[in-house]
Structures are given as structure tokens and as C-alpha cells.
Amino acid sequence: MSEKNQERKRTARERLQQERESEKARERRRRLLIVSAAVVAVLGLAAVVGVIAANSGKDDSGSDAGPLLAPAGVQGKDRLAIPVGASDAPSTLTVWEDFRCPACASFENGLRDAIHELEQAGRIKVEYHLATIIDGNMGGSGSLRAANAAACAQDAGKFAPYHDVLYQNQPPETDDAFAENSRLIELAGKVDGLDTPAFRSCVQEGRHDSWVDKSNTAFQNGGFRGTPTVLLNGESVFPQKGSEQISVANFKKWVEEANKGKKPGTQRSTPSPGSSSS
């Protein structure tokens, strides 16, 4: 074998050896990258879990009103609905209200008798949701204080009549009279059997303040334009329904149309609105 051939073979072996070493180096780098990526992924997951754990005990509403204590008998998503009427009524009226809201008082005072009539006949059930937007817009705490008092009335099985009394005695929007617990307790005297030590304690300590805050947050996140927001089986009843303006006659007609062929509800667990007010 000539020296020239030997040199070519030696060069080929050296080249093959270099390629093998290069491949080994590439494999070592690949493994290092995989391990490093895995470590980063684990640390990232740990960080996410840490954030979740850190936030899991926080009140999303940002309120410092204390532990969340829901009133008795509340229902629906996150237990934010106060139900009135037969649970098996064929139609549901969903009402989002603020006790300081003049438009809410106009709606309630204008349609109260019709709503009571239909509720008591088992044609509709009403689910009340409480908001406090006037406190935010005008300042003060009357929306919150009145909503807490109404929740205390719910504990006593007297929400509906007390709800009516609050709207019948609503102060002007700029007058934060409902911020005074003494006024709310005074108005409880208009509802038979409501003004008790238990009710007074509930009002004065703000027992349901955090629940009211949560309800108001749900309202703000719900995409509603304002209070009152009133839905019949999920469809807004005002300022108009189709081409028809809201009125007592139209409201009754809409309920009748929605209930066509359906039996009235009979399963009651809450008192009828207005039955205990004076």
C-alpha cells in the first residue's frame, strides 16, 4: 500500500472520528437543553400554583366587610338571588335593583300590585338581586346599608314586605338617609314581626355586607346597563318589549303569553309579597 493511500485512509478515519465526536457533543447539548427546559417548566408551574394559592383566599370584590355570610334561602348562581313566590311557577322575573335608585322605585311602585297579583297566583316567581351602584355614583353607603337590612329581613322570612316598605319610603337620591341603621330599623316597624333583637343586631353589625358586595360585583360583571334591570324569562321588559312600551296591562299580557298552556306554581317556601307589611 502506498504512502498516499495510507494517508487517505488515516484522514478518513480522523474525519469519521471528528464527526462522531461532533455528534456526541450535539447529543450532550440536546440533552442539556431538554433538562433545562424541564426545569424551567417545573419552576413556571410552581410559580403559577403559587399565584393561585396566594390569591385563593382573597375576596374578589375587594371588600374588607368581613366573612361572606349569605342570607337564608338564597338561590341561583353563587347564591345571590333572593327568591319570592312558588318555586315551580312557569315564568321567572329576574330583578336587579338598588334601594337608592329612583328608577327602581318608579318600577316597583308602578308595577308592585301586578307583580304581587301574578306571584300570588303562581304565574311568576321573582328572583331579586341587590346592587349598590348609587353609593358609587353619589357617595355614601345607603345602598349597602339598605341592601344588608333587606338581607336581614330575608333571614326572618320578611324580605318581600320589607323590600316594598323601603321603596315606598325611599329618600331623594341625593339624601343618604338609608345610611342610618336607625332609619332602617324604624322602617322595619312597618312590617309585622320584623323589628326584633335578631334583626336589629343583623342590621347594626352589617352581617351581610360582604354578600351584598359580591352581589354588586356580579351586577357590574354582568354587562347590565343600569338599575333596574328586569328580565322576564331572560328577556328585558323595558324600556320596551318589541314595539310595546312597558305598562301594567302589557306586563300582564307578556306573562300570559309566556305561560300559555302551563300550570300555575304551587310549591311555596317564602311569604307572599306585601302580606305582612303595614
Side-chain angles (χ1 to χ4, degrees):
M1 180 180 296
S2 67
E3 292 183 1
K4 191 173 183 179
N5 287 338
Q6 290 178 342
E7 180 64 24
R8 282 201 298 268
K9 288 182 179 180
R10 184 167 57 251
T11 301
R13 286 196 298 270
E14 290 175 350
R15 188 165 53 247
L16 180 60
Q17 182 66 27
Q18 289 174 352
E19 289 176 356
R20 288 175 177 172
E21 291 296 330
S22 296
E23 178 62 26
K24 289 180 181 179
R26 285 195 294 270
E27 178 64 17
R28 285 195 297 270
R29 287 196 298 271
R30 189 179 70 84
R31 289 178 179 177
L32 179 60
L33 288 173
I34 291 174
V35 172
S36 298
V39 171
V40 170
V42 170
L43 291 176
L45 178 59
V48 171
V49 172
V51 171
I52 294 173
N55 290 334
S56 64
K58 293 182 180 179
D59 182 356
D60 291 338
S61 70
S63 171
D64 58 357
L68 186 68
L69 297 175
V74 288
Q75 299 176 355
K77 183 179 179 181
D78 296 327
R79 300 181 66 219
L80 295 176
I82 296 179
V84 175
S87 60
D88 58 343
S91 287
T92 300
L93 190 70
T94 304
V95 182
W96 289 85
E97 292 183 318
D98 183 326
F99 286 110
R100 286 183 70 185
C101 165
C104 298
S106 295
F107 170 77
E108 285 292 343
N109 294 332
L111 272 78
R112 177 180 296 110
D113 291 344
I115 293 173
H116 288 354
E117 176 186 332
L118 292 167
E119 179 274 316
Q120 290 167 359
R123 307 305 296 174
I124 61 172
K125 62 181 176 182
V126 189
E127 294 182 348
Y128 289 99
H129 298 260
L130 308 183
T132 61
I133 62 172
I134 305 299
D135 284 356
N137 293 341
M138 304 294 296
S141 60
S143 298
L144 174 61
R145 299 268 47 80
N148 172 71
C152 294
Q154 169 67 10
D155 287 338
K158 306 278 186 180
F159 169 82
Y162 188 62
H163 162 276
D164 291 353
V165 165
L166 289 175
Y167 280 117
Q168 289 165 337
N169 294 272
Q170 185 189 70
E173 186 177 17
T174 55
D175 181 354
D176 198 24
F178 281 170
E180 299 297 330
N181 289 333
S182 58
R183 176 57 175 161
L184 298 170
I185 292 171
E186 177 187 356
L187 290 175
K190 295 180 176 291
V191 179
D192 292 343
L194 179 57
D195 186 6
T196 63
F199 174 80
R200 290 188 173 214
S201 176
C202 181
V203 170
Q204 290 167 343
E205 70 186 36
R207 182 174 303 164
H208 300 302
D209 282 359
S210 289
W211 178 84
V212 174
D213 284 342
K214 186 174 182 180
S215 180
N216 186 62
T217 297
F219 173 80
Q220 293 175 327
N221 294 339
F224 305 118
R225 292 190 297 176
T227 55
T229 291
V230 185
L231 311 172
L232 178 61
N233 296 330
E235 184 177 354
S236 178
V237 301
F238 62 86
Q240 60 182 37
K241 184 176 186 289
S243 60
E244 298 174 310
Q245 296 291 331
I246 187 169
S247 67
V248 170
N250 281 341
F251 180 71
K252 289 183 176 181
K253 183 181 72 170
W254 299 335
V255 173
E256 182 179 353
E257 291 171 350
N259 290 350
K260 188 174 182 179
K262 301 175 183 178
K263 295 181 180 180
T266 58
Q267 303 299 317
R268 294 182 175 273
S269 58
T270 57
S272 298
S275 60
S276 299
S277 62
S278 58

